[in-house]
Amino acid sequence: MSTDRPADDSHLREEPVSSEELLRGHFLVARRDRVRLPDASLAVREYVCHPGAVVVVAELDDGRFVLERQWRYPLGRAFTEFPAGKLDAGEDPWRCAQRELREETGYSARLWAYAGPVHLAIAYSTEVIHLFFARELRLGERRLDPGEFLDVFPASLEDMLQWVREGQVTDAKTLFCLLWAQNVRAGIWSLDWRQAG
Amino acid sequence: MSTDRPADDSHLREEPVSSEELLRGHFLVARRDRVRLPDASLAVREYVCHPGAVVVVAELDDGRFVLERQWRYPLGRAFTEFPAGKLDAGEDPWRCAQRELREETGYSARLWAYAGPVHLAIAYSTEVIHLFFARELRLGERRLDPGEFLDVFPASLEDMLQWVREGQVTDAKTLFCLLWAQNVRAGIWSLDWRQAG
C-alpha cells in the first residue's frame, strides 16, 4: 500500500481498440468496446451512454429543502429525492437546472450555485450529474411532462439525515446532495452564489 | 405543496403490463417493460438489471480509510473510490463485503457493521449497493481477478472531504459513503458492530 494518492494513472489506463453500438432503445443506449489493459491483454467493456443530468438542492426561506416523491419503476417503489432531470441535447447544465426545478416543482430561484459534477455509476454508465444549489425561491406553476407524476414536499436537513440513517431515504444522488448540504449548512464548505441568468 | 412526506404512494404507482429482454451482453442485461401509469395511460420503461453490490468503508487503526484508485472505462479516467464489488449469484452481502475487501486490498477485518442499502441509479438500474463498515484490519495477500488493476492507498476523512469539495473525488458511491463516515465519526450516527463470520 503506497502512502499517498497516486498522481499518475498511466499504469491503470485502458485504451479503446474498437467500439460498437450494443443497444439503441427508446431511452437506453449502450455500447460494447474492446479495450487494451495495462498488461496489453484484451478485455470487453459494456456501458450505458447517458446525456448527463442535473440535481437541485433548493432551499426555502425557512431553511427546508424542496423534495420530491416519485415512482421508480426499476425498483418497483417510490423514492424521496431532490429534484433532478436529464440534459436535453446540447443543453447547458445551468439552464437545465433552472428548467427542471421550475417544471417539476413550480419553483424559480433568484440565486444559484454550482457545487460540481458527480459521476453516478462509474462501472457501467457515462452519466455525470451536475449538482446545483438554489435559494430565494418563488412559487409559480408546475409543468410536468405528460406521463410524469410526482409529489413535492418540504423537508428539513435534520429530517432528511434522520431518514437516511433509518433507511427511508436510499437514493444515491440524494445522499451525495446531503453530504454537500450538511457541509454547506455547517459553514465548512462554501458556495459561489450568482443571480439566475 | 403538501406539508408532510406522503405516507401512501399508491397514486404514483406504475404497474407492469408486459416485459421483454432488451439486451443480454457479457456484463449488461437490460429489459423493456410496458407499464400502466397512474392515469391509466401506457408508457415504456427500460432499465439495467443488476445483481447488487457492496461497498466497504474500512478504517485503519490510525483512523484513515482504505481507498482504491481504479480506471473506469466509461468515463475514460481513473477514480478514487472505496473498495466495492458485485455480488456473485446468490451471494450473501456480508460474505461479499469480506471477500471483496480481501481480494482487492488484501485486508481482513475483525469487526463489521452494516449501514444499509443504497440505490445507485434509480431511473434506469435495479442496482442496490450494500454499505458496510470494517475495523480492526489485518493485512494479508491481495488476489485480484485476472485483468483487474488498481492501486490501494490510505486517506483520512479530512483529506477525502477536501477532495470532494475540490472536485477531485466525484464517484457517487464514494460520496454517500463519506456522508455515513462523517456522521459516524462525529458520533451522530451509530453502527452495530459484530465479529466477522
Side-chain angles (χ1 to χ4, degrees):
Chain A
M1 190 152 89
S2 69
T3 54
D4 284 302
R5 197 168 61 103
D8 178 3
D9 298 316
S10 57
H11 60 294
L12 302 171
R13 177 181 289 271
E14 300 177 356
E15 293 284 357
V17 174
S18 64
S19 180
E20 60 172 324
E21 187 170 279
L22 202 55
L23 169 67
R24 179 165 294 271
H26 300 302
F27 166 82
L28 279 183
V29 176
R31 299 193 69 83
R32 174 188 289 156
D33 291 9
R34 297 200 165 275
V35 307
R36 182 165 290 113
L37 301 182
D39 65 356
S41 63
L42 294 173
V44 169
R45 296 285 178 260
E46 295 174 349
Y47 54 97
V48 171
C49 300
H50 193 283
V54 299
V55 63
V56 182
V57 178
E59 187 182 322
L60 296 161
D61 290 345
D62 67 4
R64 289 184 299 174
F65 297 120
V66 179
L67 276 302
E68 297 181 354
R69 187 84 181 164
Q70 190 172 2
W71 196 265
R72 294 302 196 167
Y73 184 81
L75 281 317
R77 41 162 283 214
F79 284 79
T80 294
E81 310 171 37
F82 284 102
K86 278 193 295 182
L87 297 177
D88 288 338
E91 189 177 28
D92 176 74
W94 285 84
R95 288 193 71 86
C96 181
Q98 297 178 41
R99 177 179 61 74
E100 286 288 351
L101 182 65
R102 194 176 54 244
E103 289 179 0
E104 293 193 349
T105 73
Y107 281 104
S108 299
R110 201 175 71 81
L111 293 179
W112 288 83
Y114 180 52
V118 180
H119 296 92
L120 188 64
I122 59 179
Y124 61 90
S125 174
T126 66
E127 180 169 4
V128 54
I129 303 185
H130 299 283
L131 169 52
F132 287 89
F133 280 70
R135 305 183 68 164
E136 302 199 7
L137 306 183
R138 199 183 52 192
L139 188 56
E141 192 92 18
R142 282 211 298 179
R143 282 205 314 266
L144 294 177
D145 289 333
E148 200 170 28
F149 300 86
L150 54 88
D151 293 338
V152 178
F153 66 100
S156 69
L157 177 62
E158 294 68 29
D159 280 348
M160 288 294 288
L161 291 170
Q162 183 64 22
W163 292 334
V164 172
R165 183 188 183 176
E166 293 170 354
Q168 294 179 52
V169 170
T170 63
D171 168 46
K173 73 173 176 306
T174 298
L175 268 59
F176 71 64
C177 287
L178 289 170
L179 175 69
W180 270 92
Q182 184 171 29
N183 285 291
V184 167
R185 186 67 65 89
I188 302 170
W189 295 358
S190 60
L191 295 167
D192 180 20
W193 292 97
R194 56 180 84 173
Q195 307 237 359
Chain B
M1 187 154 89
S2 69
T3 53
D4 284 301
R5 197 167 61 103
D8 177 3
D9 298 316
S10 57
H11 60 294
L12 302 171
R13 177 181 290 270
E14 300 177 356
E15 293 284 357
V17 174
S18 65
S19 181
E20 60 172 323
E21 187 170 279
L22 201 55
L23 169 67
R24 180 165 293 272
H26 300 304
F27 166 81
L28 279 183
V29 176
R31 300 193 70 82
R32 174 188 288 157
D33 291 9
R34 296 200 167 275
V35 307
R36 183 164 290 112
L37 301 181
D39 65 355
S41 64
L42 294 174
V44 169
R45 296 286 178 258
E46 296 173 350
Y47 54 96
V48 171
C49 299
H50 193 282
V54 299
V55 61
V56 182
V57 177
E59 188 182 323
L60 296 161
D61 291 344
D62 67 4
R64 289 184 301 174
F65 297 119
V66 179
L67 276 302
E68 296 182 354
R69 186 86 181 162
Q70 189 172 3
W71 196 265
R72 293 302 195 168
Y73 183 81
L75 282 316
R77 41 160 284 210
F79 284 79
T80 295
E81 310 170 39
F82 284 102
K86 278 193 294 183
L87 298 176
D88 288 337
E91 189 177 28
D92 176 74
W94 285 84
R95 288 192 72 87
C96 181
Q98 298 180 40
R99 177 178 62 74
E100 285 289 349
L101 182 65
R102 193 175 55 243
E103 288 179 0
E104 293 194 349
T105 74
Y107 281 103
S108 299
R110 200 175 72 81
L111 293 179
W112 288 83
Y114 181 51
V118 180
H119 296 92
L120 189 63
I122 59 179
Y124 61 90
S125 174
T126 65
E127 180 169 4
V128 53
I129 303 185
H130 299 283
L131 169 51
F132 288 88
F133 281 70
R135 304 184 68 163
E136 302 200 7
L137 306 183
R138 199 184 52 192
L139 188 56
E141 191 93 18
R142 283 211 298 179
R143 280 205 315 265
L144 293 177
D145 289 333
E148 200 170 29
F149 299 87
L150 54 88
D151 293 338
V152 178
F153 66 100
S156 69
L157 177 62
E158 293 68 29
D159 280 348
M160 288 294 288
L161 291 171
Q162 183 64 22
W163 292 335
V164 171
R165 183 186 184 179
E166 293 170 355
Q168 295 178 53
V169 169
T170 63
D171 168 44
K173 74 174 176 303
T174 298
L175 268 60
F176 71 63
C177 287
L178 288 170
L179 175 69
W180 271 92
Q182 187 171 28
N183 284 293
V184 167
R185 187 65 67 88
I188 302 170
W189 295 357
S190 61
L191 295 168
D192 180 20
W193 293 95
R194 56 180 85 172
Q195 307 237 359

